[in-house]
Amino acid sequence: MSTRIASRAPAHIHSLSPYQPGKPISELARETGIPESEIVKLASNENPLGMSPKARAAAVAALEEGARYPDGNAFALKAALARKYGVDEAQLVIGNGSNDVLEIAAQAFLAPDASAVFAQYSFAVYPLATIARGARCIQVPAKNYGHDLDAMFRAIDQSTRIVFIANPNNPTGTFLPGNEIEAFLARVPQDVLVVLDEAYTEFLPTDARYDAIAWVARFPNLLISRTLCKAYGLAGLRIGYGVAHPEVADLMNRVRQPFNASIVAQAAAVAALEDQDFVEKAAENNRRGMAQLTAAFAEMGLEWIPSSGNFVTVRVGDAGKVDQSLLAQGIIVRPIAGYGMPEWLRVSIGLPEENARFIAALRQALA
Ligand SMILES: *Cc1c(COP(=O)(O)O)cnc(C)c1O
């Protein structure tokens, strides 16, 4: 960088590489001339059913109040969450997406002399949030593309203030049974915050479910991060939340931007939380789509990582090349070379016809 001011930014800021989001539909349309309506985007684990009609109605109604600042304490949303999960309002932190909850946790607990532990092939925001605080990343090798909790426990040192665990994990979709996480929590020193990122928890089958929120009473160093952006379909509105011990939530609320969640997002979230039918429909579409995609992968002789999320990661060889072919056919998926997986593509589960278009395009790309 050539300006004097840029050279003055701290070295850890210079060392950051920006998050690489899925390509927007409008961008591919501009680049290829393919009409937006013909493009299929399976790149950002969005909800292919859109949002709940009730959430949409609440969002539209809230627009009327768009000239007002939102309720910085998110009274109605916290009341809805407290009711739904049997927690106290003082245990809640509302985020502008759960990405914000992760950032707020890093702001509250990391400093330049601290470190954060997370797994190889886990969510890109963990190193970003850690490095942005000037803290050190301790990345622990994955086991079968998932978290190796024993190795992560051993990696904790005197400087460690946060352990990030995504369950299910993104971008690999791997899942840790609840009892393994509970045993991990029982071992981790209570002056290390365990951030349990449950962005995809609503997609878990009933028999895999576990109740992490109930653990907060026993583990004051546990922060659960959840989102309404995935199963609830509010990705564009940005809304998520954290559940923790009141002292943890209090510290996080001190660094949180006062109006981080918009009036529209808060209203939509309250309505969405009440529409359980919608979430169940999304989970059902996901189960069917997962079966559709993995059956096609099996037929094509492709390896994939069994996934508990709303996406699946498949080994295609030269993923950069396959991705180019898919894009030319109007299909957007997510190459994950940036995660150190250059032979793999992560594909979000879409509607049945979107999945079918992806499968046909993939066959074409591999032919
Ligand atoms: C998508 C995702 C999030 C955050 O999404 P938001 O849209 O910010 O709520 C957090 N963690 C993981 C693992 C994710 O995949």
Side-chain angles (χ1 to χ4, degrees), residues 155-212:
I156 295 171
D157 69 20
Q158 289 295 323
S159 69
T160 304
R161 295 277 73 84
I162 294 185
V163 177
F164 289 105
I165 298 174
N167 199 44
N169 184 44
N170 175 19
T172 60
T174 55
F175 175 71
L176 294 164
N179 61 323
E180 291 181 25
I181 297 172
E182 198 177 4
F184 179 78
L185 284 164
R187 290 208 283 170
V188 169
Q190 292 214 337
D191 61 354
V192 175
L193 184 73
V194 177
V195 178
L196 181 57
D197 178 350
E198 298 191 321
Y200 301 99
T201 199
E202 294 84 1
F203 294 106
L204 291 176
T206 327
D207 59 355
R209 294 270 162 96
Y210 59 95
D211 183 6

Side-chain angles (χ1 to χ4, degrees), residues 9-240:
H12 61 264
I13 300 299
H14 280 278
S15 78
L16 281 170
S17 349
Y19 180 83
Q20 299 206 326
K23 190 191 259 302
I25 290 174
S26 54
E27 189 176 307
L28 185 63
R30 277 196 305 276
E31 289 171 358
T32 59
I34 301 172
E36 289 194 12
S37 59
E38 286 170 26
I39 291 173
V40 171
K41 184 183 175 206
L42 302 174
S44 301
N45 302 345
E46 293 152 345
N47 196 323
L49 304 182
M51 69 173 88
S52 143
K54 290 174 187 155
R56 188 182 186 285
V60 169
L63 261 184
E64 288 299 321
E65 293 299 311
R68 303 258 176 227
Y69 280 99
D71 176 354
N73 287 318
F75 178 85
L77 177 53
K78 283 186 182 173
L81 290 166
R83 220 175 23 248
K84 190 171 170 87
Y85 296 114
V87 296
D88 201 273
E89 275 89 343
Q91 295 182 262
L92 296 168
V93 182
I94 303 302
N96 183 25
S98 64
N99 197 327
D100 194 29
V101 175
L102 304 172
E103 284 284 349
I104 294 170
Q107 277 185 55
F109 289 95
L110 296 179
D113 55 356
S115 66
V117 168
F118 51 83
Q120 179 190 20
Y121 313 133
S122 67
F123 193 37
V125 167
Y126 309 152
L128 276 177
T130 302
I131 295 168
R133 307 265 79 74
R136 188 166 51 96
C137 296
I138 301 179
Q139 201 191 79
V140 179
K143 192 166 82 182
N144 299 326
Y145 298 104
H147 294 68
D148 180 345
L149 289 182
D150 286 327
M152 290 176 75
F153 175 74
R154 288 194 302 273
I156 295 171
D157 69 20
Q158 289 295 323
S159 69
T160 304
R161 295 277 73 84
I162 294 185
V163 177
F164 289 105
I165 298 174
N167 199 44
N169 184 44
N170 175 19
T172 60
T174 55
F175 175 71
L176 294 164
N179 61 323
E180 291 181 25
I181 297 172
E182 198 177 4
F184 179 78
L185 284 164
R187 290 208 283 170
V188 169
Q190 292 214 337
D191 61 354
V192 175
L193 184 73
V194 177
V195 178
L196 181 57
D197 178 350
E198 298 191 321
Y200 301 99
T201 199
E202 294 84 1
F203 294 106
L204 291 176
T206 327
D207 59 355
R209 294 270 162 96
Y210 59 95
D211 183 6
I213 291 177
W215 299 338
V216 174
R218 267 158 60 216
F219 303 110
N221 58 325
L222 171 62
L223 167 68
I224 296 155
S225 166
R226 297 247 182 114
T227 185
L228 286 104
C229 297
K230 305 273 163 65
Y232 289 92
L234 303 182
L237 298 188
R238 315 299 304 125
I239 192 87

Side-chain angles (χ1 to χ4, degrees), residues 1 18 25 34 42 76 108 112 196 260 279 296 317 336 354 357-358 362 367:
M1 288 188 188
I25 290 174
I34 301 172
L42 302 174
L196 181 57
N260 63 333
V279 175
I336 49 173
E354 294 175 320
R357 274 209 44 209
F358 160 71
L362 181 63

Side-chain angles (χ1 to χ4, degrees), residues 266-338:
Q266 289 188 36
V270 171
L273 285 170
E274 279 160 16
D275 194 349
Q276 199 53 37
D277 283 355
F278 177 80
V279 175
E280 274 158 31
K281 263 188 219 141
E284 179 56 23
N285 177 72
N286 197 61
R287 272 188 290 281
R288 288 168 193 257
M290 188 70 80
Q292 184 186 1
L293 288 187
T294 54
F297 296 156
E299 215 183 287
M300 287 186 254
L302 297 175
E303 180 190 352
W304 73 91
I305 305 171
S307 170
S308 298
N310 64 346
F311 56 90
V312 57
T313 295
V314 58
R315 188 173 223 154
V316 295
D318 184 345
K321 202 172 130 206
V322 173
D323 185 47
Q324 285 311 311
S325 165
L326 292 173
L327 288 170
Q329 300 178 72
I331 311 286
I332 312 174
V333 299
R334 185 74 72 94
I336 49 173

